[in-house]
Amino acid sequence: MAGAADTTPPVFLVPELPEGEFATLDGEEAHHAVTVRRLRTGERLTLSDGHGGVADCVTVAAHPGRKPIVELRVVATHTVRAPALRVTVVQALAKGDRGELAVELATEAGADAIVPWRAARSVVRWDDGARTEKALGKWRSTARAAAKQARRAWVPEVAEPVTTRDLAAVLSEADLALVLDGDAPEGITEVPLPSEGELVLVVGPEGGVAPEELAAFTAAGARRVRLGPTVLRTSTAAAVALGALGALTARWAQA
């Protein structure tokens, strides 16, 4: 919501929360605070460790320069509990920047973890080590930036990419596994959803999930579901599904 973004203090990620009354912010986060946000003395900000820990702070002083530092006074600290129903988004690799867009939107919509999937119909392959590491780094940076933008206390982990065989094993261990499929016989509102545990949501590539992949996933216990009458892009499907899950379960009520 635009209004909330104007009044909610910005979030900055730190390796660990400060233990005392005063703290300093340095490195890239300090650069962003001083140069981009232009924080001034007396302004509020929030520190997050990305694992639920949050510290509400007030700016004491901001020092620009080659190595900017922001001096802070810690007002309060608290922990945001993880949702009882954890949702892992398995996102098929997508061409161009659509994969990063999918990660951004899924993070803002509340994904607890994101797993890149080398689907049969993915145009992008991530086959060699250097290319995979670079692309994976972009996905992880995107998740961090999106979590900060959304003022999330939890930054979703972006795992190493998986094959279809790997993914089938993951689905077999989930409390509920859903594969988004426009031709599925049932809608997401028709599926009994657990109140806690691990839910895995699979999003296919631009060309859809291949028949042999659907067969492997259903054999592993996954259920095919459709979101509605329209066809969604691979970059937006997870965010729409997460919105539906937020309304259909207690995930939003815990916020």
Side-chain angles (χ1 to χ4, degrees), residues 12 126 128 218 222 224:
F12 297 90
W126 287 21
D128 66 87
T218 54
R224 297 163 52 212

Side-chain angles (χ1 to χ4, degrees), residues 220-241:
R223 299 178 68 158
R224 297 163 52 212
V225 296
R226 63 180 185 277
L227 288 177
T230 58
V231 177
L232 298 173
R233 291 181 179 271
T234 185
S235 54
T236 57
V240 174

